[in-house]
Amino acid sequence: MTRKCICEICNCGRHHCPHQPLGFYDKTLKPCLLTEYHDKYPAYGGIKPRESFRPKREFLSNRGRMEGTSTFRTDYIPHEITHRPERLQHEYRPKSGEVDHHTTYKTDYSPHQIKPAESMRPPPTKPGKGGKIDTVPTYKDDYRLWDIPKRKTKTPQAYCPPTARFGNPSTFQDDYGPKGYALTESFKPPYAPKISDVPFDGLTNHKIAYVPHPLGERYVRPRDEYKPSDKPFDSITTHRRDYRGLHGDPTKSYKPEHGKVGSDAPFDSSSEFRDRYQAWPVTLPYVHKHPDYVQPDGPMDLNSTSHLDYVGHKVKPPAPFKPASARKIHAPFQGSTTMKDDFKSWEMKKPEIIKRAEEIGIPHAKFDDLTTFKANYVPHPINPPQSFKPTNAPLHSTTPFDGGTLYRTEYIPKRLEICPASYPTPPGYVYESTDARGHRFFHKVTASEENLAVPNEMHHPKEVAVAS
């Protein structure tokens, strides 16, 4: 009795057993050879790669004149074009009888008696009875004044500028001594052109090695003479020749006529709301009335707490500690500073600009306005190249189009086969065991096991008719 795995039973190459990672730790098992690639693709010896059929890039000349024919021009057969038949639409006919204007709302709705909603506004609160209010604040009861002594003010002193010269030199004046300005000497070599004593001969490699060759006359292709046609122009176009006018009635409109929809009876202006609505009395909300303002008798007392309790003190304004402004001094301004006394400016000369000597002198003769192009150019006649493009003329044929193809004549519908490995249990096999690598093995059904087999859920498909 031979065992087979799903990998061996499958004939489409899409079914295989799951390879468990635990099988790699089993040293007693042989390597897994149940794969489609190992069975269908055996190993071969050294095989050279096939040669490329791509043409080589070579220049082909003198191939003759181009015929101007293509596969489309030789095989295409024009056919007569027929108009597509128009789809006939049926004439609209309105239905007979009257329209019932009853709605589901009128038939199914039953009115109910509803009480008016109660107001959610809280009851109004009345102000309390009048009484005497204690107007003494906490500030007056807890706050006590402190005896703060007066602050002594400092007598201002007038600023007097010193008359002697400031004799403390700075660190910059002690350490830095003025030095004279000296131009840096340039170590760059002078730019002087090297003039040779040998006269210039004007010979170049082109003049020495060039050998002129005579040019032959250019071949000029003669142009074909135009020969007008002897037949008269009939002025018949493709549209005039192939178009066949069809006489018919003009298209009719399928839009229904605009008739009056409704009744001529006068509008009674009655609605369901007016017929069935019952108004109930509504009480107005309570509005609190403020008492009228009564002006008090007698004059108004404008004294405040600050006016009555505040005691004024005579305090002199504080004198500023800022020194007296320099504008008030009438002494003459001394314009001498340490910088003017110790630093003496010296004369500086701007370095001269280095100019290069002109190599090419300016000619004084008159310009002759003659270039090399004008002197050596020889004009030649221009002949436009002849176009080898074929004329755009359609090819017509009277033979009918043969629509037969190899697919229509030689195609034979085949039965769709289902891979036996796609079933839960392959037909004709019985599950036996599963190894450590995850391969499920089956053996063929014997005569005794065939009676106990359970039919699969999947069925074989019937033949499918394919239309081309």
Side-chain angles (χ1 to χ4, degrees):
M1 183 182 299
T2 58
R3 299 190 308 168
K4 287 187 178 181
C5 180
I6 291 291
C7 305
E8 297 177 320
I9 298 175
C10 176
N11 55 11
C12 64
R14 293 181 295 179
H15 303 90
H16 58 84
C17 297
H19 292 193
Q20 303 293 338
L22 299 176
F24 294 99
Y25 299 100
D26 194 357
K27 302 295 183 180
T28 59
L29 296 177
K30 296 181 180 180
C32 180
L33 302 177
L34 301 176
T35 58
E36 179 188 2
Y37 188 85
H38 187 271
D39 296 340
K40 295 185 178 181
Y41 300 94
Y44 294 93
I47 300 174
K48 296 181 180 180
R50 59 181 182 180
E51 297 181 357
S52 176
F53 291 96
R54 187 176 182 180
K56 298 181 180 179
R57 299 184 63 181
E58 298 179 356
F59 179 72
L60 303 176
S61 59
N62 299 328
R63 299 180 64 182
R65 186 178 179 181
M66 185 177 179
E67 296 180 0
T69 58
S70 60
T71 312
F72 182 79
R73 291 187 176 183
T74 54
D75 299 344
Y76 179 72
I77 301 172
H79 301 277
E80 294 182 0
I81 300 173
T82 58
H83 293 279
R84 186 177 180 180
E86 297 181 357
R87 183 179 179 182
L88 299 177
Q89 295 185 0
H90 300 287
E91 185 179 358
Y92 173 75
R93 294 179 180 179
K95 296 181 180 180
S96 60
E98 297 181 356
V99 182
D100 187 8
H101 293 284
H102 290 284
T103 60
T104 312
Y105 184 80
K106 289 184 178 181
T107 56
D108 299 343
Y109 179 73
S110 57
H112 302 279
Q113 294 181 359
I114 301 173
K115 296 181 180 181
E118 297 179 358
S119 177
M120 303 299 293
R121 179 180 293 181
T125 56
K126 296 182 179 181
K129 297 180 179 181
K132 192 174 182 180
I133 302 174
D134 188 7
T135 57
V136 180
T138 311
Y139 183 79
K140 284 187 176 184
D141 294 343
D142 298 342
Y143 183 70
R144 297 291 182 272
L145 294 176
W146 295 349
D147 295 335
I148 300 175
K150 296 181 180 180
R151 183 178 180 182
K152 295 181 181 181
T153 57
K154 188 176 181 180
T155 57
Q157 296 179 2
Y159 173 73
C160 297
T163 57
R165 183 182 177 185
F166 184 72
N168 295 331
S170 62
T171 310
F172 180 78
Q173 293 178 353
D174 295 341
D175 298 343
Y176 179 74
K179 298 179 182 180
Y181 178 77
L183 294 174
T184 56
E185 184 180 358
S186 177
F187 292 94
K188 188 176 181 181
Y191 186 78
K194 296 181 180 180
I195 303 173
S196 178
D197 300 335
V198 181
F200 181 67
D201 53 359
L203 295 177
T204 60
N205 191 15
H206 181 76
K207 290 183 178 181
I208 296 173
Y210 180 72
V211 179
H213 298 279
L215 297 175
E217 295 182 358
R218 185 178 178 181
Y219 172 73
V220 180
R221 184 175 181 178
R223 301 182 66 178
D224 298 336
E225 296 181 359
Y226 173 73
K227 295 180 180 180
S229 179
D230 300 334
K231 298 180 180 180
F233 183 67
D234 53 359
S235 67
I236 296 177
T237 60
T238 310
H239 182 77
R240 291 185 179 181
R241 182 181 59 190
D242 300 339
Y243 179 71
R244 299 175 182 178
L246 301 178
H247 299 282
D249 299 334
T251 56
K252 297 180 181 180
S253 176
Y254 293 97
K255 187 176 180 181
E257 297 180 358
H258 184 71
K260 183 180 180 181
V261 179
S263 176
D264 298 333
F267 184 64
D268 54 358
S269 68
S270 63
S271 62
E272 181 185 1
F273 183 79
R274 293 185 177 183
D275 296 342
R276 300 184 181 183
Y277 179 71
Q278 298 177 2
W280 53 77
V282 180
T283 57
L284 297 176
Y286 174 77
V287 180
H288 177 69
K289 294 182 178 180
H290 294 278
D292 297 337
Y293 174 72
V294 179
Q295 186 177 1
D297 300 336
M300 184 177 180
D301 187 8
L302 300 176
N303 293 329
S304 62
T305 309
S306 177
H307 280 223
L308 298 176
D309 298 344
Y310 181 74
V311 180
H313 300 280
K314 296 181 180 180
V315 180
K316 295 181 180 180
F321 292 95
K322 186 177 180 181
S325 178
R327 295 180 181 179
K328 297 180 181 179
I329 302 172
H330 302 287
F333 177 71
Q334 296 179 3
S336 61
T337 60
T338 311
M339 179 74 180
K340 285 186 177 182
D341 296 343
D342 297 343
F343 182 75
K344 304 296 180 182
S345 60
W346 55 77
E347 296 181 0
M348 292 181 62
K349 293 182 179 180
K350 188 176 181 180
E352 298 180 356
I353 301 174
I354 301 173
K355 295 182 179 181
R356 299 180 181 178
E358 296 182 357
E359 299 178 0
I360 302 174
I362 301 174
H364 300 286
K366 189 177 180 181
F367 184 62
D368 54 358
D369 195 16
L370 183 63
T371 60
T372 310
F373 183 80
K374 290 183 178 181
N376 301 330
Y377 178 72
V378 179
H380 299 280
I382 300 174
N383 296 323
Q386 184 181 1
S387 176
F388 292 95
K389 185 177 180 181
T391 56
N392 191 8
L395 300 177
H396 299 281
S397 177
T398 56
T399 57
F401 179 70
D402 185 11
T405 58
L406 296 175
Y407 182 81
R408 292 185 176 182
T409 56
E410 298 183 3
Y411 179 73
I412 301 173
K414 299 180 180 179
R415 180 181 178 183
L416 298 176
E417 297 181 358
I418 297 179
C419 179
S422 61
Y423 296 93
T425 302
Y429 291 88
V430 177
Y431 173 74
E432 183 177 341
S433 62
T434 305
D435 62 353
R437 293 184 180 272
H439 293 281
R440 301 174 61 193
F441 291 97
F442 298 84
H443 66 270
K444 291 188 176 181
V445 180
T446 59
S448 60
E449 294 176 346
E450 188 174 359
N451 298 328
L452 301 176
V454 179
N456 290 317
E457 297 179 358
M458 302 178 65
H459 302 280
H460 291 282
K462 300 180 179 179
E463 293 183 356
V464 180
V466 181
S468 62

